Amino acid sequence: SRIYARNGKILSRGKAKQRPDIQHLEVHYTCCIDKQLRHLIQDLLSCDQRTWISFTMHAINGFSDFYARPPPLEDFENLFVALRHVQILNLNSCPWFRGHGLDSILKIIPQFDNLQQLRLQGWQMDQVSVDALVRAFTECTQASTPNKLTLLSLRSCVFLGDTAFLRCVQGFLTLTHLRTLNISYCNLYDSQVIQMVQQLRNHPSLEALHLGGNDCVSSVSV
C-alpha cells in the first residue's frame, strides 16, 4: 500500500488514485525537490482527499537547487499542507550535504496536528537548522493541539559544533511525550554524550536512547 517516486517521476500514479488503501508516499533518489516535482507530489497528495499515514523523502540533496535561489516558503507550505495529518514524516538526506532548505520545512512542522514519528536522517545540522528544529519543538508543545511526538530520529546527522548539538539537546527536553530518541552514527564524542545523558536523566517519558556508532570510548560515557 505504498506509492513511490524516483528520479522526478511519480510511478503508478493512476493506480494510487484508484486505490484508496494506498496511504504511504515515498520519494527516492532525486537530486533536489524542485518546482516540477513539488507540483507532482502535491497533486498526488490531494487526490481523493485521503489521509496519508506517512510521507518519506529519501536520498535527496536538498529542497532546492544549490545553484539557484531557494524557493519561497509558500511553495513548501503548498506542498506540505496536505501532509498536516500524517503520523510519520521521514526526511532522509545525504550526510555530506548541509540542511539546504531544511529550516524552511521545519517552520511548518508545528502545523502538523497528528505527527507521532519524525525522522531527519543524514543531514549536516548547522546552527540555522538546529535553531529551526528547536523552535519547531517549542511551538509544537505550545500549540492549542500539541503534537504528541513519540519518536525522533536524527540518525547519521552531523552537528557542526558543540553549540549546535547542545542547543538541540535542549529541544529534546521540550518533547514531553517522546519515548524513543535515535542519535546513532552522529559522530558524537564522550563529553557530548555525557552532557546529553545528564540533561535527559529526568525526561518525563523517554524510554529508549540509541547511541550506537558514536565515538564513545571512555568508561565514563559508556
Side-chain angles (χ1 to χ4, degrees):
S1 61
R2 298 176 185 272
I3 192 73
Y4 296 91
R6 287 190 179 90
N7 298 324
K9 295 182 179 180
I10 301 292
L11 304 182
S12 303
R13 190 176 177 192
K15 179 181 178 182
K17 292 188 176 182
Q18 296 171 8
R19 289 185 50 185
D21 61 310
I22 295 179
Q23 296 176 306
H24 304 269
L25 176 60
E26 300 187 13
V27 182
H28 285 254
Y29 303 107
T30 182
C31 179
C32 62
I33 308 302
D34 57 14
K35 182 177 181 180
Q36 180 180 5
L37 183 55
R38 285 199 304 272
H39 288 172
L40 286 172
I41 297 172
Q42 183 181 344
D43 178 63
L44 184 58
L45 291 173
S46 62
C47 73
D48 302 330
Q49 301 299 315
R50 76 183 66 179
T51 300
W52 293 84
I53 294 176
S54 72
F55 182 71
T56 299
M57 291 181 176
H58 179 69
I60 57 175
N61 294 349
F63 291 101
S64 61
D65 194 311
F66 283 102
Y67 302 102
R69 292 182 179 178
L73 183 58
E74 296 79 36
D75 288 353
F76 291 115
E77 291 177 342
N78 292 334
L79 170 62
F80 280 81
V81 68
L83 293 168
R84 65 185 300 267
H85 301 301
V86 297
Q87 300 174 22
I88 303 170
L89 180 63
N90 305 317
L91 303 178
N92 306 328
S93 183
C94 301
W96 49 86
F97 285 107
R98 293 198 180 190
H100 194 64
L102 181 60
D103 56 313
S104 297
I105 294 300
L106 293 173
K107 293 176 183 177
I108 307 172
I109 293 297
Q111 299 180 24
F112 285 51
D113 54 14
N114 196 32
L115 190 62
Q116 299 176 23
Q117 299 182 20
L118 175 62
R119 295 178 178 86
L120 303 172
Q121 302 182 151
W123 294 94
Q124 282 194 8
M125 302 294 290
D126 56 13
Q127 191 66 48
V128 173
S129 298
V130 169
D131 286 344
L133 182 64
V134 174
R135 191 179 305 112
F137 290 160
T138 303
E139 293 179 3
C140 283
T141 56
Q142 295 176 348
S144 56
T145 55
N147 282 332
K148 295 184 178 181
L149 195 67
T150 60
L151 183 149
L152 173 65
S153 177
L154 300 176
R155 177 186 171 95
S156 299
C157 284
V158 177
F159 294 90
L160 303 182
D162 286 349
T163 303
F165 176 70
L166 295 178
R167 170 80 169 131
C168 200
V169 173
Q170 295 174 2
F172 301 155
L173 296 173
T174 66
L175 301 174
T176 55
H177 297 277
L178 189 66
R179 295 181 181 178
T180 303
L181 175 61
N182 187 343
I183 47 175
S184 56
Y185 297 94
C186 289
N187 291 332
L188 302 179
Y189 47 86
D190 290 320
S191 62
Q192 292 176 310
V193 171
I194 292 170
Q195 291 182 66
M196 178 189 62
V197 172
Q198 288 175 344
Q199 294 191 48
L200 294 180
R201 281 185 185 277
N202 297 321
H203 194 284
S205 60
L206 192 62
E207 298 175 353
L209 177 63
H210 298 274
L211 289 168
N214 289 299
D215 298 325
C216 306
V217 295
S218 76
S219 59
V220 177
S221 63
V222 173

